[in-house]
Amino acid sequence: CKVFERLAEIQSEVSSQHGISTEDLQELQQTHAGDEGIRGYVQGLNSMLDAALGGTMPIMPNVKIPAALGEDKVLKILSEAHGLETKKVLERVGGTKMSVKDLGEVLNVAHRDAWDETMKAHAEKMRPGGPEVYHSTLALYMRGDAFAERRRKIDEVQKQRMLKIFRPPDAGLGSIPEGKAAG
């Protein structure tokens, strides 16, 4: 698990952005640890880490869910991203043969690009906070069984679309065209 390595990287990035050492940043964290706002963010980050390590989608600390991101809208955005991902895979793969490694790269790029485009198309609904607000909203709604089931169905449709793209066409084995029967 690279979570702690990534947290150290983030701490280093924040330190350099503010022109201080990581030690100075740690000292500031300790000095202000009693501040209610800071405590709220620390507790929220700990909750996010616990959720992520426990296999649950994390919710950004102190996120405010915009009214425009109701359950139906969140699922509509998810469906749009899935549809765009399928389109991008088809554009990149076409009918070409490729290695498993190249296919993996195509799938990763298509997924990333589809989500980037979808998030940009719906940016107004996610203010302030951007895509993190969407993902936190999705994580919050996923805690409800009915929503989780609706999302599972959308994901299953996407899975079947992708399988259809990569399933080899039926070679017609086992059937003999009329007039061609052995005799």
Side-chain angles (χ1 to χ4, degrees):
C1 182
K2 296 185 177 189
V3 173
F4 295 106
E5 291 170 5
R6 182 64 185 129
L7 288 173
E9 288 174 17
I10 291 169
Q11 188 176 42
S12 179
E13 290 171 16
V14 169
S15 297
S16 65
Q17 284 175 357
H18 294 284
I20 60 174
S21 69
T22 54
E23 293 79 17
D24 290 341
L25 179 60
Q26 289 171 349
E27 184 179 322
L28 285 168
Q29 288 170 326
Q30 290 173 354
T31 301
H32 298 285
D35 180 88
E36 188 176 322
I38 300 291
R39 256 193 344 265
Y41 277 104
V42 169
Q43 288 170 346
L45 289 171
N46 286 334
S47 293
M48 285 181 70
L49 184 58
D50 288 344
L53 294 175
T56 304
M57 294 175 66
I59 299 172
M60 190 170 61
N62 301 326
V63 70
K64 292 188 181 11
I65 308 298
L69 283 180
E71 288 186 2
D72 290 337
K73 188 61 178 180
V74 167
L75 291 174
K76 184 176 186 278
I77 291 169
L78 176 69
S79 294
E80 285 179 33
H82 283 339
L84 190 55
E85 179 180 8
T86 301
K87 179 182 173 194
K88 289 184 173 298
V89 167
L90 286 169
E91 287 171 357
R92 289 182 172 101
V93 173
T96 62
K97 291 184 178 184
M98 59 180 57
S99 70
V100 173
K101 179 183 177 204
D102 290 343
L103 176 60
E105 181 63 23
V106 165
L107 291 172
N108 285 334
V109 169
H111 179 81
R112 184 194 65 226
D113 290 352
W115 274 101
D116 285 350
E117 286 181 37
T118 304
M119 293 294 101
K120 285 178 186 166
H122 295 279
E124 191 62 37
K125 295 171 192 76
M126 297 176 225
R127 289 209 170 112
E132 291 79 9
V133 170
Y134 172 81
H135 293 293
S136 290
T137 303
L138 177 62
L140 178 67
Y141 293 158
M142 282 297 293
R143 294 192 166 116
D145 292 338
F147 182 89
E149 178 61 20
R150 290 172 64 198
R151 192 243 169 117
R152 187 197 63 72
K153 288 177 182 177
I154 291 169
D155 288 344
E156 183 61 28
V157 167
Q158 177 66 359
K159 176 182 165 189
Q160 293 306 317
R161 272 192 210 132
M162 295 306 247
L163 287 173
K164 188 176 180 182
I165 291 171
F166 298 111
R167 190 172 290 136
D170 184 15
L173 298 176
S175 64
I176 301 173
E178 281 187 44
K180 303 281 183 182

